[in-house]
Amino acid sequence: MPVFSIDQTALPYSRNLCFAGAACELRTNSSQLARVLESLSISTDYAAPGGFSMRVFVEEASDAVAGEPHFRGLHHVVTASFGSSNLFVFDILRRTLSARVSAGNCAG
């Protein structure tokens, strides 16, 4: 599984969203992804306290589609990969999701 790090300055699009009653702070480099997730969000007026944050880097140079899922977890960290171009890291303790995904999975 590849190692990746997300530079916060590479994520210029920021949105405050709400999913299933949980507030979510989204940061991404993709205006398209920000718009799609914003359209799926409900009003943040009803969000419960103690939400989570998502940092999603869309690899524009890659058009690879999702592959077979693979999940692993240890303590408070869970990883999910869908092929080599789509990696998600969930930190349950810190309430964060960091992801690198192929642009091929974000096409509308």
Side-chain angles (χ1 to χ4, degrees):
M1 185 177 302
V3 174
F4 76 98
S5 175
I6 299 177
D7 178 2
Q8 293 295 320
T9 61
L11 306 174
Y13 301 99
S14 179
R15 302 284 190 278
N16 290 313
L17 309 171
C18 183
F19 300 109
C24 172
E25 178 192 352
L26 168 70
R27 292 187 54 95
T28 184
N29 66 321
S30 170
S31 62
Q32 179 182 5
L33 180 62
R35 282 191 308 272
V36 168
L37 291 177
E38 191 170 42
S39 73
L40 298 173
S41 173
I42 61 172
S43 172
T44 56
D45 296 340
Y46 304 106
F52 64 102
S53 65
M54 287 195 305
R55 297 176 302 173
V56 181
F57 183 83
V58 177
E59 187 67 51
E60 298 294 341
S62 174
D63 60 355
V65 295
E68 290 294 317
H70 183 82
F71 299 91
R72 287 288 181 260
L74 182 63
H75 304 294
H76 63 277
V77 177
V78 177
T79 62
S81 63
F82 301 87
S84 62
S85 298
N86 301 285
L87 178 63
F88 297 78
V89 178
F90 301 85
D91 186 328
I92 307 303
L93 182 65
R94 291 175 184 84
R95 296 177 179 238
T96 61
L97 162 66
S98 300
R100 186 192 77 197
V101 298
S102 164
N105 293 302
C106 298

